[in-house]
Amino acid sequence: DDQWSPLNQEGKKQYDRTFLLQFQPDCTSKPQGLPDIPDIVLEKADVRPHL
Amino acid sequence: KISEDVEKLELDPLIKHPLQNRWCLWFFKNDKSKDWADNLRQITSFDTVEDFWAVYNHIQSAGKLASGCDYNLFKDDIKPMWEDERNKTGGRWLASFDKRGGKGIDVDKLWLETVLCLIGEGFDEESDVVNGCVVNVRGKGNKLSVWIGDYKRDEVVLKIGRRFKERLGLPPRFQIAFEAHQDTIVKRGSSAKSRFTI
C-alpha cells in the first residue's frame, strides 16, 4: 500500500498496530529531557510484552 | 549497486518513521493540596514511531499508577482539558470499567491499543477530528476515553466510537458512551447525559 517508508517518503503516515508493535523492543535508549517525576519516569527501559 | 543502497536505506536506524501528527503525553496526579492545573504535567512530545516507543518504554505502566492519576495523550497544540479551544465544542467517547464490568480488563493493554490507534491514524479520514485520549486510573474503576473536537457531527462521532470499541476488542454488550463536554459541566447526579451509547 502507499505507506511511508525510507524508500517512499511521500507515502501515508498511517500505521496499523502490528506494524507499530514491531519497533517496541529496539527503542530502549532513554529519551532526552524527560522531567523528574519519580512516580512514572523509569531509569531503565521496561519493555512490557504486548500480545 | 542499486540494491545495496536500497538495503542500506531500509535498515538505516537513523531514519525514523514519522507520525502524521506530533503528540504530547501529559501526566496528572491528584494532589488535593495543589490547584488542579498544577497537578497536570507535560512529560514530553514526539512525532516518530521510534521516539514514541522510547518514551513508552521509559514510563510507568498505567496499571501501576496510583488511584487518581491520569495519562493524557493529545495532539501537540491541544491541552488535555475541555476548556481548550479545540475541545470546547467537542466531547468524548468513554469506556468505564467499574469493579464488576472491569474484572479481567487489562488497562495497560487497552490504553496502549488506544494510543496506537491515535498515533497510527487508525481513525482514517476521521483522524483529524480526534484530539486525544485519556486513561483515568481510579480505585472505583478505570476509565478510557477518546476526545473528539466536534460533538455535533453525528456520523463522524459514531464512526469514531465504533472504531474505538473495535480496537479495544470489547464484547458487543459492553457499552461505551459519548458525552459532549458542555453537558458534563451541567451535571445532574454524577454522570452527564450521554448523547450516544454503542
Side-chain angles (χ1 to χ4, degrees), chain B residues 53-98:
Chain B
W53 283 119
V55 171
Y56 184 79
N57 290 336
H58 282 89
I59 54 170
Q60 186 57 272
S61 66
K64 292 207 180 83
L65 293 180
S67 178
C69 291
D70 305 340
Y71 276 137
N72 304 267
L73 183 82
F74 273 72
K75 285 176 181 168
D76 198 30
D77 50 356
I78 304 176
K79 287 201 181 59
M81 48 187 82
W82 62 265
E83 294 90 340
D84 186 284
E85 262 324 295
R86 290 181 54 180
N87 284 326
K88 254 190 196 131
T89 56
R92 65 174 178 168
W93 275 106
L94 180 63
S96 302
F97 304 102
D98 55 33

Side-chain angles (χ1 to χ4, degrees), chain A residues 21-29 45 47, chain B residues 13 50 53-54 57-58:
Chain A
L21 283 166
Q22 65 185 341
F23 293 92
Q24 180 178 13
D26 308 328
C27 304
T28 53
S29 52
V47 182
Chain B
E50 290 81 354
W53 283 119
N57 290 336
H58 282 89

Side-chain angles (χ1 to χ4, degrees), chain A residues 4 6-7 13-15 17 20 23-24 27-31 35 37 39-42 45-46 48 50, chain B residues 9-10 16-18 20 29 41 43 53 56-61 65 71 112-113 120-121 124 167:
Chain A
W4 186 95
L7 299 170
K13 296 165 192 154
Q14 184 174 27
Y15 312 101
R17 64 183 294 286
L20 291 168
F23 293 92
Q24 180 178 13
C27 304
T28 53
S29 52
K30 188 172 181 182
I37 311 177
D39 298 359
I40 55 157
V41 176
L42 309 177
D46 169 25
R48 299 179 287 275
H50 185 70
Chain B
L9 207 51
E10 272 298 336
K16 296 182 182 175
H17 291 69
Q20 184 63 38
K29 182 176 171 70
R41 291 193 62 181
I43 299 175
W53 283 119
Y56 184 79
N57 290 336
H58 282 89
I59 54 170
Q60 186 57 272
S61 66
L65 293 180
Y71 276 137
L112 183 56
E113 287 298 336
E121 302 300 309
D124 302 325
R167 284 294 288 263

